[in-house]
Amino acid sequence: MLRLGTREFAPDEPVIMAIVNRTPDSFYDRGATFLDEPALERVGHAVDEGAAIIDIGGVKAGPGEEVDAAEEIRRTVGFVAEVRRRHPAVVISVDTWRHEVGTAVCEAGADLLNDAWGGVDPRLAEVAGRYGVGLVCTHAGGARPRTRPHRVEYPDVMADVLRVTTSLAERAVELGVPRESVLIDPGHDFGKNTRHSLEATRRLPEMTATGWPVLVSLSNKDFVGETLDVPLKERLLGTLATTAVSAWLGAQVYRVHEVAETAQVLRMVAAIAGRAEPAVARRGLA
């Protein structure tokens, strides 16, 4: 059972995490949710479309203008508090690698810390343990925050993913994070080239076999763009195809931009797998 905030999710229940970037230079939406009202509207739409988790980020993942901890806190803390006020049942996640930000957002009501840079600040897990919130333990190949991979190599990429993520997960539990609130993430594109991300996808059963719930962040990423040779705004179909494969292979949480489309894919996969019934079943029965 995965427990985040006040919510519980069965092991075979797919969970959508909607991305809400509080940045003026985010790679996908180019700052569309930087201001409060558009961002709050985005949260409302995402919840209505089926998102159980809202993932709030105050710093773009890629290189760009320097954003210090104080500015990241300014972009996220008040927003976390307002989302908590408007949506008391939603799980609030904050995408950060800094323990100072983690402390501030937990005080404001966050339920989950999404550490996309693989424990580069080891004190972030201590914050999660102190507040009893969830933690996403990600493989980033040792990359520093906001850097792009360059000629990165692994003797076995999945072996490295398993070693890093399970070690981070066990450390988190030792620090007080509830075991049922820890997730592992292969870290598509983070410290990886396209072939690494594709291999990590097809070998997801090795991650699910660890017993930790698996989160995948696939949405419109570069490995999709390079695989299909399509620009940023034409990556939805590739993203949804990868989502369907990941669902079939056992991933549980999906960090996405397009909530409604992802929800349909996950429902279809669940029905094919026999874990869900069709919404309507009239054909051949009338």
Side-chain angles (χ1 to χ4, degrees), residues 148-217:
R148 299 194 189 282
H150 178 68
R151 299 187 183 279
V152 62
E153 295 181 1
Y154 300 95
D156 183 327
V157 66
M158 183 50 76
D160 205 68
V161 167
L162 293 170
R163 176 184 63 82
V164 170
T165 57
T166 57
S167 295
L168 290 171
E170 292 293 350
R171 177 176 182 266
V173 173
E174 291 172 2
L175 291 170
V177 180
R179 180 172 287 272
E180 62 273 18
S181 302
V182 177
L183 303 101
I184 60 174
D185 177 354
H188 289 81
D189 276 1
F190 280 64
K192 299 171 187 67
N193 62 33
T194 289
R195 289 185 175 86
H196 293 143
S197 292
L198 293 170
E199 182 174 350
T201 305
R202 65 178 169 268
R203 294 176 65 182
L204 279 175
E206 295 175 51
M207 294 192 76
T208 61
T210 67
W212 299 104
V214 175
L215 179 152
V216 287
S217 183

Side-chain angles (χ1 to χ4, degrees), residues 62-73:
E65 181 181 348
E66 176 65 22
V67 180
D68 62 16
E71 174 61 16
E72 187 179 355
I73 288 170

Side-chain angles (χ1 to χ4, degrees), residues 51-116:
I53 307 173
I54 300 297
D55 191 47
I56 299 163
V59 185
K60 110 184 234 191
E65 181 181 348
E66 176 65 22
V67 180
D68 62 16
E71 174 61 16
E72 187 179 355
I73 288 170
R74 188 191 70 77
R75 294 178 179 184
T76 55
V77 170
F79 188 72
V80 167
E82 183 60 16
V83 173
R84 172 57 65 226
R85 187 185 72 80
R86 296 193 186 195
H87 303 278
V90 79
V91 177
I92 299 177
S93 169
V94 176
D95 181 352
T96 186
W97 73 89
R98 292 172 166 139
H99 75 274
E100 305 97 326
V101 178
T103 298
V105 297
C106 286
E107 288 286 343
D111 304 301
L112 176 65
L113 298 177
N114 181 11
D115 182 9

Side-chain angles (χ1 to χ4, degrees), residues 2-9 15 53 91 111-112 134-135 180-183 253:
L2 174 63
R3 292 185 173 89
L4 299 171
T6 62
R7 303 285 296 273
E8 293 186 351
F9 306 96
V15 182
I53 307 173
V91 177
D111 304 301
L112 176 65
L135 184 69
E180 62 273 18
S181 302
V182 177
L183 303 101
V253 181

